[in-house]
Amino acid sequence: MTRIGLVVNPTAGRGRGGGAGAAAHGLLRAGGHDVVDLSGPSLAHATDRARAGVLDGLDALVVVGGDGMVHLGVNVVAGTGLPLGVVAAGTGNDIARTLGLPRGDVAAAVARIERGLADGARSIDAARVGPPGRPAQEWFVGVLSCGLDAAVNARANTLRRPRGHARYVRALLAELRRFRPYGYRVTSDGAVWESAGSLVAVANVPWFGGGLQIAPDARPDDGLLDVVVAGPLGRAEVVRVFPGIYRGRHVHHPQVRIERARHVLIEPMAALGAAAPAAFADGERIGPLPLQVEVVPGALRVLAAGRA
């Protein structure tokens, strides 16, 4: 009998996560699996329970929710060989979108997990991030953002209304009132970009923020990260450029540059602009700059993920 750890975010998908978790639990049990509920009252508590569950012996870990729950799962199983299953029940689901997994369909997601358990998991890359000179403290599998998008993410997390994408639009408008370009030095495999800027993102997948195509050519299994930087855009230019991210049109702007790298160092440069906001990855807060990022090829095994 396969022993599966299950972690559910009941607030995912505008409150639908709890129902999705109950449905996934029932379907997995009906499939003959021993299902251990490792959910907790907070992200930290659930992470601790999931790690304890891994030590007790699991055959797979399944998370139910959005990209934040995938982030939790990645930080439990990356580098261990234990496969991760995803029941995408959030509002963004950018990682599931990249991997070709069902979104908003519990039965289809569980069927894909069952197929992965039978046929084997797909290996994809994950990235480690942390302060320079120390062991990397955290994994991510999606996008690390360190610019205006990170500031918007932080503000949106403080808003209770409106829901969905409208909350991020409201947060963007609020952040623009006080925005001035940040100062950066970004070193990508030795190549240095030093400038005032509005956006720095390190992408393992094309999408973040619920469908923003920040790095259209990023692939989660090529052993490389796509480093997207945008120079010192003013408020009016930000308003013109940012909507184009939904279709990846920003990459044609003369102030936008993309490099591919295995190692990235992002440092604040006070002489060049304002202090950059704390970084976010997979929608979760990572911390302030400086940060170093390293891609680890094949660090994560995902159950029944389609080709990117």
Side-chain angles (χ1 to χ4, degrees), residues 14 39 58 73 81 102 114-115 123 159 207 212 293:
R14 303 176 188 176
S39 307
L58 295 175
E114 295 276 17
R115 189 191 313 169
S123 293
L159 302 176
W207 291 283
L212 292 165
V293 186

Side-chain angles (χ1 to χ4, degrees), residues 248-261:
R249 293 174 178 168
H250 63 292
V251 302
H252 304 297
H253 192 280
Q255 291 280 12
V256 175
R257 167 177 164 181
I258 300 178
E259 300 284 350
R260 313 197 82 196

Side-chain angles (χ1 to χ4, degrees), residues 107-295:
V110 171
R112 295 291 294 275
I113 290 168
E114 295 276 17
R115 189 191 313 169
L117 290 168
D119 298 341
R122 172 190 171 193
S123 293
I124 66 170
D125 307 334
R128 292 188 292 203
V129 58
R134 304 183 203 170
Q137 298 176 339
E138 194 150 1
W139 292 88
F140 70 92
V141 72
V143 177
L144 177 81
S145 56
C146 311
L148 181 58
D149 49 325
V152 170
N153 196 330
R155 181 175 287 272
N157 288 345
T158 69
L159 302 176
R160 304 187 72 175
R161 297 187 184 191
R163 294 183 173 183
H165 296 301
R167 185 173 57 164
Y168 288 88
V169 173
R170 179 182 171 189
L172 173 60
L173 294 175
E175 283 298 318
L176 281 175
R177 294 190 191 106
R178 65 177 187 178
F179 170 72
R180 66 185 183 93
Y182 313 112
Y184 296 104
R185 177 191 287 132
V186 179
T187 307
S188 306
D189 283 354
V192 177
W193 179 80
E194 190 172 287
S195 176
S198 53
L199 183 148
V200 171
V202 181
N204 189 44
V205 304
W207 291 283
F208 79 146
L212 292 165
Q213 199 171 174
I214 186 67
D217 296 326
R219 295 292 178 267
D221 57 3
D222 61 0
L224 293 168
L225 298 165
D226 283 36
V227 185
V228 185
V229 298
L233 306 177
R235 292 184 183 92
E237 194 71 4
V238 167
V239 171
R240 284 194 294 269
V241 170
F242 265 61
I245 298 177
Y246 277 99
R247 295 190 178 182
R249 293 174 178 168
H250 63 292
V251 302
H252 304 297
H253 192 280
Q255 291 280 12
V256 175
R257 167 177 164 181
I258 300 178
E259 300 284 350
R260 313 197 82 196
R262 292 178 174 84
H263 299 86
V264 185
L265 175 63
I266 309 164
E267 300 171 279
M269 292 291 290
L272 295 178
F280 279 71
D282 304 335
E284 300 297 317
R285 189 182 189 278
I286 299 297
L289 303 181
L291 290 170
Q292 60 183 2
V293 186
E294 174 191 14
V295 66

